[in-house]
Amino acid sequence: MPADILAKKMSQAVTGEKAWRHLEAISEATAANGGHRADGSPGYEASTEYLTRTLTAAGYKVKRQEFSFLDYEIFSEKASVTAPNPRTLTPIIARFSISTPEGGLTAPVVVPSGKSTGCTASDYAGQDVKGKIVLVDVNDCFITQKQITASEMGAAAVLMNVNAPNPQLNLRYRMVPPEDARIPIATLNRGEAEQLKADIAAGPVTVNVDLRGRNKMTKTYNLLADTPTGRADNTVVMGAHIDSVDTTPGMNDNAAASAVLLETAVDMAPYWKHVKNRVRFAWWAAEEKGISGSQYYVDQLNDADRSGTALYLNLEMIGSPNFLRQVYNGRTADGPGPAGSDRISGLIGGYFADRGLPTAGLVLDGRSDHSPFIAAGIPAGGVNAGSDAVKTPEQAKVFGGTVGEMLDPCYHQACDTLANVNRTIFEQNGRAMAWAVGRFAVDTSDVNGK
């Protein structure tokens, strides 16, 4: 069967309605087992058991790829203004943050005199921040860099303004890499941060922060299922992470993508005899814990396995309610991705264009499971409907939606339920990726020359 024919058959087979039934099953498994799918949790186990049962019924042999990863256990995340107007704050400690002493530390709070993000020493020009707590905004650089800069300036701790459209929204960030942690760091929601800034503008403000946690090892597993046909030395890997953070049922992040991936595997089974390149379907663990599952997978590849991996297709947050129709654009923040990544982008973008659906390019950043593949020189691409970025007026003209609101207003929040998943973009992204894997299951020659 020619590549274009199998691609068409797959895109027709993987409907939103069929994939939604899997999403409902994952939602039920999550809700009945603690309300989240953090690694090692009952919700994770129940959800992967559903995946395994469904794949086995379709004829797949399912493998658990077990591993341990560096996790972070939280003991305290408290803060309060002690003077001049005492009140309680609600910080969220960054994973792998350095801890304060038990009972916390108390110090004056200052904001950068220059750029509010505090990414470089020049942002604090003319300021003495030694022994103080600095309050900075997110964005412009990784939080790891912010706390390194503050540490080198002598600061005692860092508080970050999440600066989200919803003034009550707060998010947990992580130190990457963990060994670069220097001083305690936590986030505040925009409402609390802006009030704190207003108080500082009026005079000195003192805050106590009690931020304590410790590193620990957690056991979990990736779930892998291969087509029994196709060249093993030219494997197409298609994946999505199944884990969630522990504050949410994680239906858009990332059960929706996992459900579509499952339906794609099921619908490919009748076409196994036409698969020329082995397809490996992968549900990654611990994406929310430093992209640890896909990183472990790539780390275990020997030279032959790595050269025998044709490409990687990633599905991330495919049903965001205030979506952009984003296609990874074949480039990293530092330049072109591995050879062939631009071709993957062009083909997926072309699928949408042929149907009159506009797309936006998204850089192959370090925020999802494509990252380890890119670092290993394996071409990659995929789709992502958006997370915590805020929709601009220009984007709303093309894609509709609400200007000034996050692409997923329930990102990492308890409201990321089935009601948070936009069924239109869910189906569009699902069909596009089913088309792509059908195409590459037959022909990857224009990506990797095989």
Side-chain angles (χ1 to χ4, degrees):
M1 184 181 292
D4 60 335
I5 299 301
L6 183 56
K8 182 179 179 180
K9 287 183 177 295
M10 288 299 300
S11 69
Q12 291 173 338
V14 179
T15 67
E17 182 179 1
K18 288 160 65 180
W20 192 267
R21 291 199 292 268
H22 299 310
L23 183 57
E24 288 178 324
I26 296 171
S27 175
E28 291 171 3
T30 303
N33 291 277
H36 63 80
R37 294 183 309 284
D39 293 272
S41 71
Y44 186 89
E45 187 68 30
S47 298
T48 56
E49 285 178 356
Y50 172 76
L51 297 176
T52 300
R53 289 195 305 272
T54 307
L55 290 164
T56 301
Y60 288 90
K61 293 182 179 179
V62 183
K63 175 186 176 182
R64 286 190 176 191
Q65 185 183 43
E66 298 181 348
F67 65 97
S68 297
F69 69 95
L70 183 64
D71 204 349
Y72 190 72
E73 184 177 13
I74 297 167
F75 299 119
S76 177
E77 41 190 3
K78 301 176 183 178
S80 61
V81 176
T82 59
N85 301 307
R87 65 180 182 277
T88 300
L89 303 173
T90 54
I92 294 182
I93 189 173
R95 293 181 64 246
F96 305 120
S97 170
I98 295 295
S99 294
T100 64
E102 188 170 353
L105 64 86
T106 302
V109 181
V110 296
V111 297
S113 57
K115 202 167 185 180
S116 63
T117 49
C119 291
T120 67
S122 62
D123 294 344
Y124 297 99
Q127 283 181 289
D128 177 13
V129 300
K130 188 173 183 180
K132 298 175 182 177
I133 300 169
V134 297
L135 174 62
V136 301
D137 291 342
V138 299
N139 299 326
D140 287 357
C141 65
F142 288 120
I143 71 161
T144 310
Q145 181 59 43
K146 296 177 192 292
Q147 60 93 47
I148 287 176
T149 299
S151 172
E152 291 174 345
M153 299 294 292
V158 178
L159 292 174
M160 291 192 305
N161 175 11
V162 169
N163 209 21
N166 176 355
Q168 302 305 314
L169 176 68
N170 204 349
L171 298 171
R172 190 180 310 285
Y173 290 79
R174 62 175 179 258
M175 309 301 296
V176 180
E179 55 266 27
D180 280 352
R182 305 279 182 83
I183 55 178
I185 181 169
T187 51
L188 295 176
N189 65 50
R190 179 168 63 87
E192 292 182 349
E194 289 181 348
Q195 182 59 56
L196 199 53
K197 285 183 178 181
D199 292 346
I200 293 168
V205 175
T206 302
V207 167
N208 174 272
V209 290
D210 186 0
L211 306 170
R212 287 177 287 119
R214 70 177 179 190
N215 296 351
K216 69 170 187 175
M217 298 302 294
T218 294
K219 292 182 178 180
T220 188
Y221 53 87
N222 298 320
L223 214 59
L224 308 174
D226 293 350
T227 58
T229 54
R231 293 175 54 181
D233 66 345
N234 199 41
T235 297
V236 174
V237 183
M238 185 178 186
H241 73 90
I242 182 63
D243 66 309
S244 74
V245 297
D246 61 5
T247 56
T248 174
M251 289 299 103
N252 185 43
D253 187 14
N254 197 35
S258 293
V260 159
L261 185 63
L262 178 59
E263 183 58 33
T264 304
V266 170
D267 288 335
M268 182 166 275
Y271 299 107
W272 280 346
K273 66 180 181 180
H274 302 291
V275 170
K276 295 183 179 180
N277 303 309
R278 180 175 67 181
V279 178
R280 174 165 290 166
F281 297 98
W283 289 264
W284 307 118
E287 190 272 354
E288 302 289 3
K289 301 291 182 71
I291 316 180
S292 299
S294 52
Q295 184 66 64
Y296 179 83
Y297 173 86
V298 171
D299 288 346
Q300 299 309 299
L301 299 177
N302 58 34
D303 290 343
D305 294 333
R306 191 166 299 187
S307 64
T309 302
L311 56 92
Y312 175 63
L313 298 173
N314 192 55
L315 295 87
E316 177 71 56
M317 297 185 67
I318 65 169
S320 304
N322 198 30
F323 67 87
L324 301 181
R325 195 176 293 106
Q326 296 180 125
V327 176
Y328 289 107
N329 64 8
R331 299 185 62 83
T332 71
D334 300 320
S341 299
D342 56 344
R343 180 57 175 160
I344 299 171
S345 174
L347 286 168
I348 297 173
Y351 169 90
F352 285 119
D354 289 345
R355 288 151 183 80
L357 299 172
T359 58
L362 179 64
V363 68
L364 289 160
D365 56 18
R367 294 190 63 177
S368 191
D369 290 298
H370 55 262
S371 181
F373 290 87
I374 291 294
I378 297 169
V383 293
N384 184 324
S387 56
D388 54 344
V390 176
K391 179 163 282 187
T392 67
E394 294 74 21
Q395 291 168 340
K397 289 178 182 177
V398 177
F399 299 100
T402 305
V403 174
E405 186 175 276
M406 287 167 51
L407 302 181
D408 182 355
C410 289
Y411 177 60
H412 284 190
Q413 305 298 302
C415 56
D416 188 12
T417 62
L418 288 174
N420 188 50
V421 179
N422 181 295
R423 296 187 70 152
T424 298
I425 192 64
F426 171 75
E427 178 168 64
Q428 289 175 357
N429 277 331
R431 287 183 181 272
M433 295 305 289
W435 179 92
V437 76
R439 198 270 194 192
F440 292 127
V442 177
D443 185 10
T444 66
S445 60
D446 50 351
V447 174
N448 69 340
K450 292 186 180 180

